[in-house]
Amino acid sequence: MQKGPNFIEKIIKDDLQKGLAQKNLCFRFPPEPNGFLHIGHVKAICINFDLGETFNAPVNLRFDDTNPTSEEKKFVDGIKKDIKWLGYKWEKECYASDYFDDLYNWAEQLITKGLAYIDSQDSATIALQKGTPTEAGKNSPYRNRSKEDNLFLFSEMKKGSFMEGEHVLRAKIDMSSPNMLLRDPVMYRIIHMSHQRTNKDWCVYPMYDWAHGQSDLIEKISHSLCTLEFKPHRELYEWFLYAIGPTENKTPKQREFARLNLSYTITSKRKLKRLIQEGCVDGWDDPRMPTISGLRKRGYTPESLKKFVRTAGVAKRENIIELSLLEFCLREHLNKISPRIMAVLNPVKLIIENYPEGELEELSGEINPEDQKSGKRMIPFSKEIYIERDDFKENAEKGFFRLSLGNEVRLKNAYIIKAKSVEKDQNDQIKNIICTYDPLSKSGSDTKESKRKVKATIHWVCSKKAKKIIVNQYDTLFLVPDPDKHEDFIKYVNPNSLVKKNGYIEPYASKLKAGERVQFQRQGYFIVDKINADKQIIFNKTTGLRDSFKNQKKH
Ligand code: ATP
Ligand code: MG
């Protein structure tokens, strides 16, 4: 975890020292409702809401809903659900669209002040005149339109008298500014489309740069925090605030922090949308997606996500955080909270020769050794059980300590067994493993045999009482650590990112409900995705017990 205040906290402390009143602190998280939130947004959410907690200041949720072509109500609802799930409470729920009237009036004032004009060229021509970073742009032939004409055309634009693209409103700044964003940026464009909140009220919509600072001003945001790509926009942000002034020293202050980038992961809504459109995943909340809704379905906890972004820290320089750090934070939390259970995902039958036919015994196992109060669970045991196929080898090579012919292992929470022989089917596949057990070796009993050390302990389930389950197992969605760097990222989608398995689980699982998390002993952490019509539980694998990224062997 980052030690001491981060650079943003330092800026705020400094401002407080210089006379900014504590009561004037206010932050906001400003998502555009054009998709669901992803892990990168968790960072921005934590930065803002944690500042709110640290400085005891309000944090608004502001929907930056200025572009009806890509925004939808379902995204607004999804974003609210995700922030609540993370455990944060916003002060006010705001919408840039609530400020459309103010923005329009301010735009008229800018025209009146000679600081904005209607350009009637098409967007390609306007782009051509922008120049390059080393070459000044050219003034639009409409730059010196009279204020009266500008005001009239602007009001006609608002009335819907023109088609899309016929006119735009531009700020009149400087076509030779070294900052390209100041070369007469577009403030309004015509869009004839219904908006999810204002319906058909408007056919001119403000651009992000024009809406954002003014929305901050209206909400009295003290510190407007965004990602580094907005740094060049700061000059424009400040120009607009100054242009509509006077606002004295109450203007919001934009400061930038580095985006969160995560290996093997894409954090761009546009690209995530493409994954859905091209059928690589089942939707925004597919458990392979780095969206908050996907991570939730995968079994991540809000605590682990917050721990992760806080550990990754707040920096001014872009970097890529290893996925293993995210999984470390996840495991650390899941280890504390997950009830233990045994499940076999690649089963082979094991028959205990000397165990009485027809007998069914109730053994007991700890629910969670990390939680004293969790108590015990009952685990049925009988002559026939399932173990993992991988936990047995007829002839063990050196270093294989699990079950093999002539050798012993302990069955978790049960007895020591010894493998005698195998029975095979026509395909030479092992059908049954025949064993004997030591009746005195029962785990937790008082005998010296129960304390006898054997080289390995394996998990199992009683075949009579086991319940059938379906398990979705995941691998990274991408085969390369830096898919975000490739425009053709779709090419690197992992074709084996989802594998479905059938397995067996202890009957204790029938207590589980959708959304509950468990640890399958020796295997990893799983969440109940749903229970199907046949009462069969479908689990999603959240993560393994160990870091699978340490020895990357994929390329
Ligand atoms: P995307 O590129 O995924 O569409 P965006 O920046 O367009 O992201 P917004 O909805 O506009 O998405 O973002 C809301 C806030 O979240 C902004 O302040 C933005 O800076 C921040 N944010 C977006 N992506 C990240 C990220 N990867 N890391 C940290 N903050 C982010
Ligand atoms: Mg955006």
Side-chain angles (χ1 to χ4, degrees):
M1 189 107 36
Q2 195 152 356
K3 292 204 177 68
N6 62 43
F7 82 94
I8 297 175
E9 290 166 334
K10 280 187 195 140
I11 290 172
I12 294 167
K13 283 193 175 143
D14 195 45
D15 287 341
L16 289 172
Q17 248 168 20
K18 285 184 186 146
L20 175 71
Q22 163 88 27
K23 67 173 179 15
N24 289 337
L25 283 179
C26 187
F27 309 100
R28 90 287 171 265
F29 172 64
E32 183 180 0
N34 61 350
F36 285 86
L37 300 178
H38 53 62
I39 180 99
H41 293 115
V42 178
K43 175 170 176 177
I45 292 170
C46 282
I47 287 180
N48 285 295
F49 282 93
D50 288 353
L51 284 171
E53 267 165 39
T54 306
F55 292 97
N56 193 20
V59 184
N60 291 349
L61 169 60
R62 161 149 21 98
F63 289 99
D64 171 27
D65 56 347
T66 49
N67 183 1
T69 58
S70 53
E71 295 160 5
E72 290 179 49
K73 169 85 162 56
K74 73 168 185 204
F75 297 134
V76 169
D77 296 339
I79 289 170
K80 281 160 62 177
K81 180 175 173 185
D82 289 346
I83 300 174
K84 275 190 206 154
W85 179 75
L86 285 173
Y88 289 119
K89 282 202 186 81
W90 52 86
E91 179 83 8
K92 289 188 205 145
E93 181 179 324
C94 308
Y95 294 82
S97 56
D98 285 344
Y99 314 138
F100 281 173
D101 280 314
D102 296 293
L103 290 165
Y104 184 86
N105 293 335
W106 271 321
E108 279 190 330
Q109 286 174 25
L110 255 59
I111 295 175
T112 311
K113 289 181 187 172
L115 294 174
Y117 63 97
I118 302 291
D119 197 339
S120 309
Q121 306 179 100
D122 58 44
S123 58
T125 312
I126 292 176
L128 273 177
Q129 291 168 351
K130 274 251 150 141
T132 66
T134 51
E135 206 183 312
K138 276 214 297 256
N139 285 352
S140 159
Y142 299 99
R143 202 171 196 261
N144 292 320
R145 247 177 183 147
S146 72
K147 287 173 197 170
E148 294 70 29
D149 285 357
N150 280 323
L151 285 171
F152 173 74
L153 285 169
F154 193 39
S155 69
E156 287 300 310
M157 277 167 71
K158 185 185 180 208
K159 277 191 209 154
S161 310
F162 303 118
M163 293 199 310
E164 287 188 13
E166 266 190 90
H167 306 279
V168 289
L169 181 72
R170 294 177 74 179
K172 195 172 184 175
I173 309 182
D174 178 4
M175 286 307 287
S176 57
S177 169
N179 184 342
M180 301 279 289
L181 294 166
L182 265 67
R183 295 187 184 176
D184 292 10
V186 172
M187 294 169 64
Y188 274 95
R189 74 279 204 213
I190 299 168
I191 302 177
H192 290 291
M193 199 169 188
S194 181
H195 181 282
Q196 47 99 11
R197 289 188 80 244
T198 59
N199 303 315
K200 298 241 165 150
D201 292 356
W202 293 86
C203 41
V204 288
Y205 288 92
M207 299 297 287
Y208 170 88
D209 283 312
W210 170 239
H212 203 81
Q214 286 38 256
S215 304
D216 285 340
L217 182 73
I218 292 169
E219 291 172 27
K220 298 195 169 67
I221 301 301
S222 59
H223 296 81
S224 178
L225 308 166
C226 55
T227 34
L228 278 180
E229 69 270 23
F230 291 102
K231 191 156 190 163
H233 295 245
R234 195 204 283 182
E235 209 180 342
L236 180 55
Y237 179 98
E238 290 173 352
W239 189 92
F240 278 136
L241 285 172
Y242 182 77
I244 64 167
T247 47
E248 286 139 31
N249 53 5
K250 291 219 181 63
T251 52
K253 188 180 219 175
Q254 174 182 310
R255 288 297 176 270
E256 309 82 12
F257 58 87
R259 288 175 75 87
L260 175 83
N261 302 305
L262 191 60
S263 63
Y264 293 95
T265 309
I266 268 177
T267 45
S268 146
K269 276 181 281 187
R270 181 177 58 80
K271 291 184 182 172
L272 293 174
K273 224 174 222 173
R274 246 189 88 194
L275 288 171
I276 300 168
Q277 283 159 352
E278 305 211 4
C280 306
V281 292
D282 292 334
W284 287 99
D285 68 346
D286 186 301
R288 290 167 291 179
M289 289 282 266
T291 49
I292 299 179
S293 47
L295 294 165
R296 177 164 60 229
K297 218 166 172 220
R298 177 79 173 258
Y300 276 74
T301 59
E303 291 84 348
S304 60
L305 292 177
K306 290 196 271 193
K307 176 79 187 288
F308 166 67
V309 298
R310 287 171 189 155
T311 307
V314 182
K316 280 194 243 188
R317 211 166 351 113
E318 291 274 342
N319 62 350
I320 298 182
I321 310 282
E322 294 296 329
L323 193 48
S324 53
L325 177 65
L326 175 60
E327 296 210 332
F328 171 82
C329 298
L330 175 65
R331 276 188 208 103
E332 195 181 48
H333 188 224
L334 291 179
N335 180 43
K336 287 194 197 117
I337 61 163
S338 307
R340 273 50 169 176
I341 198 161
M342 291 193 285
V344 174
L345 300 181
N346 186 14
V348 61
K349 195 172 262 185
L350 186 149
I351 301 170
I352 304 165
E353 248 179 7
N354 60 337
Y355 195 85
E357 193 76 49
E359 184 153 326
L360 191 77
E361 195 177 343
E362 291 278 359
L363 303 174
S364 94
E366 278 178 306
I367 290 178
N368 184 354
E370 301 288 317
D371 177 2
Q372 298 296 316
K373 293 192 286 283
S374 66
K376 304 253 180 201
R377 70 185 196 274
M378 300 314 285
I379 313 167
F381 185 77
S382 67
K383 193 175 175 78
E384 289 187 12
I385 62 174
Y386 293 115
I387 66 163
E388 297 292 342
R389 213 165 257 283
D390 295 351
D391 280 338
F392 176 75
K393 279 203 171 141
E394 287 185 74
N395 304 303
E397 73 265 16
K398 202 163 165 259
F400 185 86
F401 296 120
R402 290 163 283 160
L403 191 61
S404 57
L405 289 180
N407 289 319
E408 286 183 324
V409 290
R410 173 170 289 284
L411 295 172
K412 178 92 190 154
N413 299 310
Y415 298 94
I416 294 174
I417 55 166
K418 185 180 210 169
K420 293 278 181 192
S421 61
V422 291
E423 292 170 3
K424 296 190 175 175
D425 62 15
Q426 302 102 309
N427 304 325
D428 210 30
Q429 269 257 32
I430 296 173
K431 210 168 60 179
N432 296 315
I433 305 167
I434 313 296
C435 293
T436 56
Y437 85 119
D438 175 356
L440 293 175
S441 65
K442 184 163 150 179
S443 293
S445 62
D446 258 346
T447 62
K448 71 173 189 302
E449 288 83 353
S450 73
K451 293 177 185 75
R452 193 151 68 79
K453 290 265 180 289
V454 287
K455 287 230 169 88
T457 299
I458 63 172
H459 61 274
W460 54 276
V461 293
C462 164
S463 75
K464 255 193 214 152
K465 293 284 175 181
K467 303 206 159 294
K468 280 192 178 164
I469 54 170
I470 298 171
V471 171
N472 296 316
Q473 284 191 328
Y474 306 101
D475 195 355
T476 55
L477 189 51
F478 292 98
L479 294 167
V480 291
D482 55 353
D484 232 349
K485 293 251 164 17
H486 303 264
E487 206 31 55
D488 53 350
F489 63 97
I490 294 272
K491 278 210 306 224
Y492 303 97
V493 168
N494 179 358
N496 302 316
S497 56
L498 167 63
V499 176
K500 281 189 190 291
K501 289 224 162 152
N502 292 297
Y504 292 104
I505 199 162
E506 311 172 22
Y508 178 73
S510 46
K511 289 193 178 31
L512 296 173
K513 295 185 197 69
E516 283 193 60
R517 301 177 181 87
V518 284
Q519 184 200 84
F520 290 2
Q521 288 181 305
R522 296 182 62 233
Q523 315 217 53
Y525 297 97
F526 296 74
I527 185 165
V528 178
D529 183 42
K530 52 178 172 262
I531 298 166
N532 71 15
D534 300 335
K535 296 230 166 112
Q536 204 174 0
I537 307 179
I538 300 165
F539 285 98
N540 292 338
K541 183 166 182 179
T542 310
T543 183
L545 289 178
R546 270 170 295 279
D547 187 355
S548 56
F549 293 93
K550 277 221 173 96
N551 311 303
Q552 277 299 340
K553 50 194 177 305
K554 281 181 188 141
H555 49 96

